[in-house]
Tab-separated table of all heavy atoms in Angstrom:
chain	number	residue	atom	x	y	z
A	1	LEU	N	0.834	-1.199	0.000
A	1	LEU	CA	0.000	0.000	0.000
A	1	LEU	C	0.867	1.247	0.000
A	1	LEU	O	2.002	1.229	0.470
A	1	LEU	CB	-0.895	0.034	1.251
A	1	LEU	CG	-1.833	-1.130	1.513
A	1	LEU	CD1	-2.476	-0.942	2.895
A	1	LEU	CD2	-2.892	-1.227	0.437
A	2	THR	N	0.305	2.341	-0.479
A	2	THR	CA	0.887	3.660	-0.289
A	2	THR	C	0.077	4.336	0.808
A	2	THR	O	-1.072	4.741	0.601
A	2	THR	CB	0.824	4.487	-1.583
A	2	THR	OG1	1.545	3.798	-2.613
A	2	THR	CG2	1.439	5.860	-1.372
A	3	THR	N	0.646	4.419	1.979
A	3	THR	CA	-0.092	4.919	3.133
A	3	THR	C	0.844	5.719	4.037
A	3	THR	O	1.998	5.326	4.236
A	3	THR	CB	-0.728	3.761	3.928
A	3	THR	OG1	-1.351	4.278	5.102
A	3	THR	CG2	0.298	2.710	4.325
A	4	PRO	N	0.374	6.842	4.567
A	4	PRO	CA	1.225	7.640	5.452
A	4	PRO	C	1.433	7.004	6.819
A	4	PRO	O	2.336	7.380	7.550
A	4	PRO	CB	0.452	8.958	5.575
A	4	PRO	CG	-0.982	8.571	5.364
A	4	PRO	CD	-0.940	7.459	4.350
A	5	SER	N	0.574	6.071	7.174
A	5	SER	CA	0.632	5.437	8.489
A	5	SER	C	0.267	3.973	8.343
A	5	SER	O	-0.487	3.595	7.446
A	5	SER	CB	-0.346	6.132	9.454
A	5	SER	OG	-0.533	5.385	10.638
A	6	ARG	N	0.769	3.145	9.258
A	6	ARG	CA	0.410	1.734	9.257
A	6	ARG	C	-0.725	1.423	10.229
A	6	ARG	O	-1.039	0.259	10.455
A	6	ARG	CB	1.640	0.886	9.567
A	6	ARG	CG	2.705	0.971	8.469
A	6	ARG	CD	3.798	-0.046	8.649
A	6	ARG	NE	4.621	0.233	9.815
A	6	ARG	CZ	5.693	-0.482	10.154
A	6	ARG	NH1	6.050	-1.539	9.420
A	6	ARG	NH2	6.408	-0.173	11.212
A	7	ARG	N	-1.345	2.457	10.761
A	7	ARG	CA	-2.530	2.248	11.607
A	7	ARG	C	-3.616	1.571	10.791
A	7	ARG	O	-3.709	1.753	9.574
A	7	ARG	CB	-3.033	3.582	12.151
A	7	ARG	CG	-2.115	4.231	13.166
A	7	ARG	CD	-2.563	5.651	13.465
A	7	ARG	NE	-3.939	5.680	13.963
A	7	ARG	CZ	-4.273	5.606	15.241
A	7	ARG	NH1	-3.322	5.490	16.158
A	7	ARG	NH2	-5.528	5.651	15.613
A	8	LEU	N	-4.461	0.802	11.466
A	8	LEU	CA	-5.500	0.062	10.756
A	8	LEU	C	-6.410	0.998	9.960
A	8	LEU	O	-6.755	0.712	8.810
A	8	LEU	CB	-6.322	-0.766	11.747
A	8	LEU	CG	-7.433	-1.634	11.142
A	8	LEU	CD1	-6.868	-2.647	10.158
A	8	LEU	CD2	-8.217	-2.341	12.247
A	9	THR	N	-6.810	2.103	10.567
A	9	THR	CA	-7.697	3.029	9.872
A	9	THR	C	-7.053	3.570	8.602
A	9	THR	O	-7.700	3.659	7.558
A	9	THR	CB	-8.095	4.192	10.795
A	9	THR	OG1	-6.906	4.749	11.379
A	9	THR	CG2	-9.015	3.715	11.912
A	10	SER	N	-5.777	3.932	8.680
A	10	SER	CA	-5.082	4.482	7.515
A	10	SER	C	-4.905	3.431	6.431
A	10	SER	O	-5.080	3.716	5.237
A	10	SER	CB	-3.717	5.038	7.933
A	10	SER	OG	-3.860	6.101	8.851
A	11	CYS	N	-4.555	2.216	6.831
A	11	CYS	CA	-4.368	1.145	5.851
A	11	CYS	C	-5.681	0.817	5.147
A	11	CYS	O	-5.712	0.611	3.925
A	11	CYS	CB	-3.811	-0.103	6.530
A	11	CYS	SG	-2.096	0.050	7.070
A	12	CYS	N	-6.767	0.777	5.913
A	12	CYS	CA	-8.064	0.486	5.302
A	12	CYS	C	-8.454	1.587	4.322
A	12	CYS	O	-8.986	1.312	3.237
A	12	CYS	CB	-9.120	0.325	6.384
A	12	CYS	SG	-8.985	-1.214	7.320
A	13	GLU	N	-8.199	2.825	4.681
A	13	GLU	CA	-8.512	3.930	3.775
A	13	GLU	C	-7.698	3.821	2.491
A	13	GLU	O	-8.228	3.993	1.392
A	13	GLU	CB	-8.243	5.269	4.467
A	13	GLU	CG	-8.606	6.478	3.619
A	13	GLU	CD	-8.409	7.790	4.362
A	13	GLU	OE1	-8.115	7.763	5.566
A	13	GLU	OE2	-8.549	8.845	3.722
A	14	ALA	N	-6.421	3.508	2.618
A	14	ALA	CA	-5.554	3.396	1.443
A	14	ALA	C	-5.957	2.232	0.559
A	14	ALA	O	-5.831	2.300	-0.673
A	14	ALA	CB	-4.093	3.254	1.889
A	15	ALA	N	-6.430	1.154	1.160
A	15	ALA	CA	-6.777	-0.060	0.414
A	15	ALA	C	-8.234	-0.080	-0.044
A	15	ALA	O	-8.630	-0.988	-0.776
A	15	ALA	CB	-6.491	-1.290	1.266
A	16	GLY	N	-9.039	0.894	0.405
A	16	GLY	CA	-10.460	0.870	0.080
A	16	GLY	C	-11.215	-0.230	0.791
A	16	GLY	O	-12.203	-0.757	0.281
A	17	VAL	N	-10.750	-0.580	1.993
A	17	VAL	CA	-11.372	-1.649	2.788
A	17	VAL	C	-12.273	-1.023	3.838
A	17	VAL	O	-11.835	-0.143	4.589
A	17	VAL	CB	-10.288	-2.512	3.472
A	17	VAL	CG1	-10.904	-3.472	4.478
A	17	VAL	CG2	-9.487	-3.282	2.428
A	18	PRO	N	-13.528	-1.435	3.928
A	18	PRO	CA	-14.418	-0.858	4.941
A	18	PRO	C	-14.020	-1.280	6.352
A	18	PRO	O	-13.612	-2.417	6.581
A	18	PRO	CB	-15.797	-1.399	4.574
A	18	PRO	CG	-15.528	-2.646	3.793
A	18	PRO	CD	-14.238	-2.412	3.062
A	19	LEU	N	-14.137	-0.350	7.279
A	19	LEU	CA	-13.895	-0.615	8.699
A	19	LEU	C	-15.101	-0.073	9.441
A	19	LEU	O	-15.222	1.130	9.664
A	19	LEU	CB	-12.608	0.062	9.173
A	19	LEU	CG	-12.279	-0.029	10.663
A	19	LEU	CD1	-12.230	-1.475	11.140
A	19	LEU	CD2	-10.955	0.679	10.961
A	20	ALA	N	-16.002	-0.976	9.814
A	20	ALA	CA	-17.286	-0.549	10.377
A	20	ALA	C	-17.114	0.132	11.722
A	20	ALA	O	-17.663	1.202	11.966
A	20	ALA	CB	-18.226	-1.746	10.488
A	21	ALA	N	-16.376	-0.472	12.617
A	21	ALA	CA	-16.206	0.077	13.963
A	21	ALA	C	-14.831	-0.306	14.483
A	21	ALA	O	-14.608	-1.449	14.878
A	21	ALA	CB	-17.299	-0.426	14.902
A	22	HIS	N	-13.905	0.651	14.455
A	22	HIS	CA	-12.572	0.401	14.988
A	22	HIS	C	-12.687	0.071	16.472
A	22	HIS	O	-13.519	0.623	17.182
A	22	HIS	CB	-11.724	1.654	14.785
A	22	HIS	CG	-10.264	1.413	14.974
A	22	HIS	ND1	-9.388	2.420	15.266
A	22	HIS	CD2	-9.525	0.283	14.905
A	22	HIS	CE1	-8.158	1.923	15.381
A	22	HIS	NE2	-8.220	0.623	15.166
A	23	HIS	N	-11.866	-0.852	16.942
A	23	HIS	CA	-11.869	-1.321	18.330
A	23	HIS	C	-13.130	-2.101	18.673
A	23	HIS	O	-13.504	-2.184	19.848
A	23	HIS	CB	-11.639	-0.172	19.311
A	23	HIS	CG	-10.259	0.413	19.209
A	23	HIS	ND1	-9.125	-0.318	19.488
A	23	HIS	CD2	-9.836	1.649	18.850
A	23	HIS	CE1	-8.056	0.441	19.300
A	23	HIS	NE2	-8.461	1.634	18.916
A	24	THR	N	-13.772	-2.662	17.669
A	24	THR	CA	-14.733	-3.746	17.871
A	24	THR	C	-14.109	-4.966	17.222
A	24	THR	O	-13.761	-4.926	16.034
A	24	THR	CB	-16.091	-3.421	17.232
A	24	THR	OG1	-16.624	-2.259	17.867
A	24	THR	CG2	-17.060	-4.569	17.398
A	25	ALA	N	-13.937	-6.042	17.973
A	25	ALA	CA	-13.032	-7.110	17.557
A	25	ALA	C	-13.391	-7.709	16.200
A	25	ALA	O	-12.519	-7.869	15.338
A	25	ALA	CB	-12.978	-8.201	18.628
A	26	LEU	N	-14.645	-8.049	15.970
A	26	LEU	CA	-14.992	-8.688	14.701
A	26	LEU	C	-14.868	-7.713	13.534
A	26	LEU	O	-14.375	-8.076	12.469
A	26	LEU	CB	-16.397	-9.280	14.750
A	26	LEU	CG	-16.807	-10.038	13.485
A	26	LEU	CD1	-15.856	-11.205	13.194
A	26	LEU	CD2	-18.239	-10.545	13.589
A	27	ASP	N	-15.305	-6.474	13.726
A	27	ASP	CA	-15.177	-5.490	12.649
A	27	ASP	C	-13.708	-5.273	12.283
A	27	ASP	O	-13.358	-5.168	11.102
A	27	ASP	CB	-15.816	-4.169	13.056
A	27	ASP	CG	-17.333	-4.229	13.075
A	27	ASP	OD1	-17.904	-5.114	12.407
A	27	ASP	OD2	-17.955	-3.406	13.773
A	28	ALA	N	-12.843	-5.202	13.299
A	28	ALA	CA	-11.422	-5.024	13.025
A	28	ALA	C	-10.830	-6.258	12.353
A	28	ALA	O	-9.982	-6.145	11.457
A	28	ALA	CB	-10.673	-4.706	14.317
A	29	ALA	N	-11.265	-7.453	12.773
A	29	ALA	CA	-10.765	-8.677	12.142
A	29	ALA	C	-11.215	-8.759	10.689
A	29	ALA	O	-10.439	-9.172	9.808
A	29	ALA	CB	-11.237	-9.902	12.920
A	30	LEU	N	-12.454	-8.370	10.402
A	30	LEU	CA	-12.935	-8.370	9.020
A	30	LEU	C	-12.165	-7.357	8.177
A	30	LEU	O	-11.857	-7.604	7.003
A	30	LEU	CB	-14.431	-8.065	8.993
A	30	LEU	CG	-15.345	-9.187	9.485
A	30	LEU	CD1	-16.771	-8.659	9.705
A	30	LEU	CD2	-15.357	-10.358	8.503
A	31	ALA	N	-11.844	-6.200	8.770
A	31	ALA	CA	-11.044	-5.217	8.050
A	31	ALA	C	-9.640	-5.746	7.780
A	31	ALA	O	-9.095	-5.573	6.680
A	31	ALA	CB	-10.979	-3.914	8.852
A	32	CYS	N	-9.051	-6.411	8.767
A	32	CYS	CA	-7.730	-7.007	8.585
A	32	CYS	C	-7.776	-8.073	7.496
A	32	CYS	O	-6.861	-8.181	6.676
A	32	CYS	CB	-7.254	-7.588	9.911
A	32	CYS	SG	-5.596	-8.292	9.882
A	33	ALA	N	-8.855	-8.847	7.468
A	33	ALA	CA	-9.029	-9.841	6.407
A	33	ALA	C	-9.092	-9.162	5.049
A	33	ALA	O	-8.541	-9.657	4.053
A	33	ALA	CB	-10.297	-10.654	6.655
A	34	GLY	N	-9.764	-8.018	4.979
A	34	GLY	CA	-9.824	-7.267	3.732
A	34	GLY	C	-8.460	-6.777	3.295
A	34	GLY	O	-8.131	-6.781	2.092
A	35	LEU	N	-7.635	-6.348	4.247
A	35	LEU	CA	-6.269	-5.937	3.911
A	35	LEU	C	-5.464	-7.111	3.356
A	35	LEU	O	-4.763	-6.978	2.350
A	35	LEU	CB	-5.567	-5.372	5.148
A	35	LEU	CG	-6.035	-4.005	5.645
A	35	LEU	CD1	-5.263	-3.621	6.905
A	35	LEU	CD2	-5.858	-2.941	4.574
A	36	LEU	N	-5.566	-8.261	4.022
A	36	LEU	CA	-4.834	-9.424	3.525
A	36	LEU	C	-5.293	-9.788	2.116
A	36	LEU	O	-4.468	-10.101	1.252
A	36	LEU	CB	-5.038	-10.621	4.459
A	36	LEU	CG	-4.337	-11.899	3.994
A	36	LEU	CD1	-2.828	-11.757	4.080
A	36	LEU	CD2	-4.805	-13.099	4.804
A	37	ARG	N	-6.600	-9.729	1.884
A	37	ARG	CA	-7.120	-10.034	0.553
A	37	ARG	C	-6.534	-9.069	-0.481
A	37	ARG	O	-6.196	-9.460	-1.598
A	37	ARG	CB	-8.645	-9.966	0.583
A	37	ARG	CG	-9.331	-10.575	-0.609
A	37	ARG	CD	-10.758	-10.991	-0.282
A	37	ARG	NE	-11.493	-9.980	0.450
A	37	ARG	CZ	-11.901	-10.110	1.706
A	37	ARG	NH1	-11.631	-11.214	2.378
A	37	ARG	NH2	-12.573	-9.156	2.308
A	38	ARG	N	-6.398	-7.795	-0.101
A	38	ARG	CA	-5.774	-6.809	-0.993
A	38	ARG	C	-4.310	-7.150	-1.232
A	38	ARG	O	-3.819	-7.090	-2.368
A	38	ARG	CB	-5.915	-5.416	-0.386
A	38	ARG	CG	-5.215	-4.317	-1.169
A	38	ARG	CD	-5.766	-4.165	-2.564
A	38	ARG	NE	-5.112	-3.082	-3.281
A	38	ARG	CZ	-5.134	-2.949	-4.598
A	38	ARG	NH1	-5.814	-3.813	-5.356
A	38	ARG	NH2	-4.516	-1.938	-5.168
A	39	TYR	N	-3.591	-7.519	-0.183
A	39	TYR	CA	-2.180	-7.888	-0.333
A	39	TYR	C	-2.033	-9.080	-1.283
A	39	TYR	O	-1.132	-9.120	-2.132
A	39	TYR	CB	-1.563	-8.254	1.019
A	39	TYR	CG	-1.497	-7.149	2.050
A	39	TYR	CD1	-1.973	-5.861	1.788
A	39	TYR	CD2	-0.974	-7.401	3.317
A	39	TYR	CE1	-1.921	-4.875	2.755
A	39	TYR	CE2	-0.919	-6.419	4.276
A	39	TYR	CZ	-1.395	-5.156	4.001
A	39	TYR	OH	-1.334	-4.186	4.962
A	40	LEU	N	-2.911	-10.070	-1.117
A	40	LEU	CA	-2.841	-11.251	-1.975
A	40	LEU	C	-3.112	-10.883	-3.432
A	40	LEU	O	-2.448	-11.393	-4.351
A	40	LEU	CB	-3.850	-12.292	-1.500
A	40	LEU	CG	-3.553	-12.970	-0.156
A	40	LEU	CD1	-4.759	-13.765	0.314
A	40	LEU	CD2	-2.329	-13.855	-0.242
A	41	ALA	N	-4.074	-9.982	-3.654
A	41	ALA	CA	-4.397	-9.569	-5.024
A	41	ALA	C	-3.225	-8.815	-5.652
A	41	ALA	O	-2.876	-9.046	-6.813
A	41	ALA	CB	-5.656	-8.702	-5.028
A	42	VAL	N	-2.614	-7.917	-4.878
A	42	VAL	CA	-1.458	-7.182	-5.391
A	42	VAL	C	-0.316	-8.148	-5.678
A	42	VAL	O	0.368	-8.044	-6.704
A	42	VAL	CB	-1.014	-6.106	-4.379
A	42	VAL	CG1	0.318	-5.488	-4.787
A	42	VAL	CG2	-2.081	-5.017	-4.265
A	43	GLY	N	-0.119	-9.114	-4.794
A	43	GLY	CA	0.922	-10.107	-5.019
A	43	GLY	C	0.699	-10.899	-6.295
A	43	GLY	O	1.635	-11.163	-7.051
A	44	ARG	N	-0.563	-11.289	-6.555
A	44	ARG	CA	-0.847	-12.022	-7.779
A	44	ARG	C	-0.574	-11.161	-9.011
A	44	ARG	O	-0.044	-11.646	-10.011
A	44	ARG	CB	-2.299	-12.510	-7.769
A	44	ARG	CG	-2.569	-13.642	-6.797
A	44	ARG	CD	-3.899	-14.328	-7.073
A	44	ARG	NE	-5.037	-13.441	-6.874
A	44	ARG	CZ	-5.678	-13.318	-5.721
A	44	ARG	NH1	-5.282	-13.984	-4.645
A	44	ARG	NH2	-6.737	-12.521	-5.626
A	45	GLU	N	-0.919	-9.864	-8.925
A	45	GLU	CA	-0.652	-8.965	-10.048
A	45	GLU	C	0.844	-8.845	-10.317
A	45	GLU	O	1.263	-8.681	-11.469
A	45	GLU	CB	-1.238	-7.588	-9.750
A	45	GLU	CG	-2.757	-7.542	-9.740
A	45	GLU	CD	-3.298	-6.233	-9.203
A	45	GLU	OE1	-2.468	-5.345	-8.885
A	45	GLU	OE2	-4.527	-6.087	-9.096
A	46	ARG	N	1.633	-8.932	-9.273
A	46	ARG	CA	3.095	-8.842	-9.405
A	46	ARG	C	3.738	-10.186	-9.731
A	46	ARG	O	4.944	-10.256	-9.951
A	46	ARG	CB	3.702	-8.319	-8.104
A	46	ARG	CG	3.306	-6.909	-7.726
A	46	ARG	CD	3.823	-6.601	-6.324
A	46	ARG	NE	3.529	-5.243	-5.908
A	46	ARG	CZ	3.716	-4.797	-4.663
A	46	ARG	NH1	4.180	-5.624	-3.721
A	46	ARG	NH2	3.432	-3.555	-4.351
A	47	GLY	N	2.936	-11.244	-9.707
A	47	GLY	CA	3.483	-12.575	-9.910
A	47	GLY	C	4.243	-13.092	-8.715
A	47	GLY	O	5.107	-13.969	-8.847
A	48	GLN	N	3.891	-12.573	-7.546
A	48	GLN	CA	4.579	-12.955	-6.319
A	48	GLN	C	3.806	-14.025	-5.576
A	48	GLN	O	2.604	-14.211	-5.774
A	48	GLN	CB	4.748	-11.737	-5.402
A	48	GLN	CG	5.617	-10.645	-5.994
A	48	GLN	CD	5.631	-9.407	-5.116
A	48	GLN	OE1	4.781	-9.236	-4.249
A	48	GLN	NE2	6.601	-8.542	-5.346
């Protein structure tokens, strides 16, 4: 990602991943899952 911060909120904003309620465990886990899904997609585009 291109992000000014590695905070969850900033990473989700940079990746276009919804974060329903920060500091609610399931919402944060779903957002983290969305980030990983983005990382995997970028990796596939790079052939990584």
Side-chain angles (χ1 to χ4, degrees):
L1 303 173
T2 300
T3 176
S5 167
R6 294 190 292 183
R7 291 170 58 91
L8 182 60
T9 50
S10 298
C11 289
C12 287
E13 183 176 353
V17 171
L19 175 56
H22 194 202
H23 293 297
T24 298
L26 183 59
D27 287 338
L30 287 167
C32 183
L35 288 178
L36 178 68
R37 194 157 46 247
R38 176 62 178 161
Y39 296 0
L40 291 169
V42 171
R44 288 195 296 269
E45 291 170 3
R46 296 172 178 171
Q48 297 174 343

